[in-house]
Amino acid sequence: MKKMKFSSLIAGVMNWGVWDKNLDTNAMEKLIHTFINQDITSFDHADIYGGYTTEESFGKAFKNSGILRENIQLISKCGIKYLSEKRDYSIKHYDYSKQYILWSVEESLKNLQTDYLDLLLLHRPSPLLQAEEVAEAVTELKKTGKINHFGLSNFLPHQTDLVKQYVEVEVNQIQFSVTHHFPLTDGQLDYMNLHKIKPMAWNPLGSVFKEDNEQTLRLKILLADLIIKYEVSADIILLQWILQHPSQVIPVVGTANSDRVENLKKINSFRLETEDWFKIWTTSMGHKVP
């Protein structure tokens, strides 16, 4: 089996396309290089991003970039049938039939202009998921070299148990941040640590810079002091807070701003003192630990 290897931070491309930044091919190519120059070589996709258009846009930019395929890692997700001009569905729903998983991967490979995915994730759990059928699809995809590794996204421990009865689960990408800190205490991260499943965290900065409420205002006051102490920006502090968890979570950073990408190199310049780590957590919760 091929050893699973991803960069210590992952570039999330959800906002690169028409859902947000609407980058053209040249801008996307430049951004790919910017990430790689910071040793961020893993790129996180899903077939639905941009209404089924962002993978194709990225594939064109990657082809133009001249970067060797073996020098990057491509992650994608499947299973959500999303309403868009590209697909004629009557309602958003999930499909984890063997036929659909195989077809979705072929579409992602075509759009990304690659022969294989480094990692395939099931995007969200479905009540109708049949684990045996998923395992058949994953086994075929690995046998034909179209995926190297397999995992889940947004699956809880009991849902993961169901799948891994039939096929190895190597990754679970979950929502985890200082403002969505529940995986620390609801068993998700402990479960992954116990079963050697690699956690990835989407939206790792949470709502700190998106919302003004009691929680985020408390955090901003604390972060103002920590910025002075550690001489790094608030986003770097929040990412370091995630990185220091023993399960070795990999944050999926969603920025498409080149300056912010270049700033990410400071992540390796420090570690939070234990008391500061707990200050961040307790400030977010609004109360001290038991």
Side-chain angles (χ1 to χ4, degrees), residues 19-228:
W19 277 0
D20 189 5
K21 302 302 181 184
N22 203 19
L23 302 179
D24 63 22
T25 302
N26 289 336
M28 204 171 280
E29 179 186 345
K30 183 178 179 181
L31 189 57
I32 293 170
H33 280 289
T34 301
F35 272 103
I36 290 176
N37 289 340
Q38 303 305 321
D39 294 322
I40 300 171
T41 58
S42 304
F43 296 86
D44 180 74
H45 292 266
D47 57 351
I48 66 169
Y49 290 166
Y52 299 98
T53 65
T54 303
E55 284 187 330
E56 184 178 4
S57 298
F58 182 97
K60 291 176 182 175
F62 175 65
K63 182 179 180 181
N64 290 346
S65 72
I67 298 165
L68 296 177
R69 175 64 180 89
E70 57 265 32
N71 290 341
I72 68 166
Q73 301 81 47
L74 294 177
I75 303 164
S76 196
K77 312 175 197 74
C78 73
I80 298 177
K81 287 188 167 179
Y82 185 83
L83 301 183
S84 81
E85 295 179 359
K86 291 275 189 176
R87 304 286 173 90
D88 185 24
Y89 306 135
S90 62
I91 189 171
K92 180 184 177 184
H93 62 291
Y94 308 133
D95 187 345
Y96 291 118
S97 63
K98 177 181 178 180
Q99 180 183 11
Y100 186 72
I101 292 172
L102 294 176
W103 182 83
S104 294
V105 170
E106 291 290 353
E107 286 293 298
S108 289
L109 295 179
K110 179 180 70 176
N111 289 329
L112 290 167
Q113 302 198 36
T114 183
D115 295 327
Y116 66 95
L117 296 175
D118 294 273
L119 174 64
L120 172 69
L121 305 176
L122 305 188
H123 206 154
R124 287 191 177 272
S126 169
L128 300 181
L129 183 149
Q130 297 189 45
E132 302 98 319
E133 195 167 351
V134 168
E136 288 178 10
V138 171
T139 299
E140 183 172 327
L141 288 166
K142 285 187 172 182
K143 185 177 180 180
T144 55
K146 292 177 180 177
I147 67 170
N148 290 339
H149 303 282
F150 170 72
L152 307 169
S153 180
N154 303 297
F155 277 60
L156 296 172
H158 66 279
Q159 296 165 328
T160 305
D161 277 336
L162 177 64
V163 176
K164 74 184 190 71
Q165 283 186 95
Y166 300 97
V167 64
E168 182 182 11
V169 173
E170 298 173 86
V171 170
N172 192 9
Q173 188 178 122
I174 62 171
Q175 183 178 8
F176 176 49
S177 66
V178 69
T179 54
H180 190 90
H181 48 70
F182 313 106
L184 292 174
T185 52
D186 67 8
Q188 290 189 69
L189 288 173
D190 293 333
Y191 174 90
M192 285 187 264
N193 208 6
L194 176 65
H195 292 279
K196 309 301 181 188
I197 296 171
K198 172 61 69 176
M200 294 177 179
W202 61 269
N203 193 24
L205 301 181
S207 60
V208 175
F209 307 113
K210 297 176 182 177
E211 299 177 14
D212 285 325
N213 53 44
E214 291 185 6
Q215 181 190 40
T216 59
L217 290 173
R218 288 195 306 267
L219 283 164
K220 287 171 184 174
I221 292 170
L222 173 62
L223 287 167
D225 291 334
L226 296 178
I227 287 168
I228 295 170

